[in-house]
Amino acid sequence: MKTTKIAGVAVGVAAAAVASYPLLWREWCQTWGATEQEAQATLPGDDLLLHPDLLTTRAITVETPPGRIWPWLVQMGSGRGGAYTYDWIENLFGLNMHSAEEILPQFQDLHLGDVLPVGEGGPKLLVEVLEVDHALVLRSDDGRWVWAFVLHEIPGGTRLISRNRIAVPDASPLLRWFNQLVMEPGSLVMEQKMLRGIKERAEWYL
């Protein structure tokens, strides 16, 4: 009887969280760590997908100059430096992500038009903007996903901003509901880990 009551309470709490997400939690989820100014700012790559169905801008302060962060960004990708997030979750989907703990010289020479892979069957992310120590913008080969990393130097460190612009023009109402209530919070869990992973590496790696 007690177990049934606990289960009932858990279901009720979960239902309340889902119901309140669009009104109370969604903006926080989409702009975790970012200031209002950063969330509203025009960033490199915004013009590559003008009307996204999903827009997130997340950020973190890294206590080191942009030049210490940049090498970790350019080596990202499957079979490269990984994504600095939960590898075991990434690899459940066969993405072959193994987050590096060191700067990998063989992956530092990145150029416009290069491809950063996301698993064998995943999207191919093309380098569309490459401004050393400032902006790295990737766009999927189908044009429906633009991922920008921007470095803004501040006193004592750098603001690392990650912006995702995603279009799902053919999605059904059910899929849009699933994306909002499941995929959006899930992306925050992974991106928080990624941003913190980059921060830790850039601050401590010598």
Side-chain angles (χ1 to χ4, degrees), residues 5 14 18 65 71 91 119 127 133 185 199:
K5 288 183 179 179
V18 169
N91 294 330
V127 179
D133 296 345
K199 172 183 171 70

Side-chain angles (χ1 to χ4, degrees), residues 84-106:
Y84 317 118
T85 185
Y86 298 102
D87 288 352
W88 68 272
I89 295 179
E90 301 271 18
N91 294 330
L92 285 176
F93 299 94
L95 298 184
N96 188 29
M97 291 290 189
H98 304 281
S99 297
E101 297 294 339
E102 60 185 0
I103 293 172
L104 305 173
Q106 66 270 34

Side-chain angles (χ1 to χ4, degrees), residues 54-122:
L54 173 64
L55 171 63
T56 66
T57 305
R58 294 160 179 158
I60 198 168
T61 297
V62 186
E63 295 178 3
T64 196
R68 293 281 299 275
I69 303 169
W70 186 254
W72 299 99
L73 297 179
V74 298
Q75 70 182 27
M76 291 177 69
S78 299
R80 295 165 56 88
Y84 317 118
T85 185
Y86 298 102
D87 288 352
W88 68 272
I89 295 179
E90 301 271 18
N91 294 330
L92 285 176
F93 299 94
L95 298 184
N96 188 29
M97 291 290 189
H98 304 281
S99 297
E101 297 294 339
E102 60 185 0
I103 293 172
L104 305 173
Q106 66 270 34
F107 298 128
Q108 293 300 309
D109 191 22
L110 196 65
H111 301 278
L112 287 173
D114 283 355
V115 174
L116 297 186
V118 184
E120 291 186 6

Side-chain angles (χ1 to χ4, degrees), residues 5-51:
K5 288 183 179 179
I6 292 174
V9 170
V11 170
V13 170
V18 169
S20 64
Y21 172 73
L23 294 176
L24 301 181
W25 306 106
R26 193 179 189 210
E27 183 177 357
W28 174 82
C29 178
Q30 292 176 324
T31 60
W32 177 87
T35 66
E36 183 177 355
Q37 182 178 11
E38 289 169 340
Q40 295 179 358
T42 299
L43 297 182
D46 283 358
D47 58 330
L48 297 176
L49 183 56
L50 294 177
H51 304 293

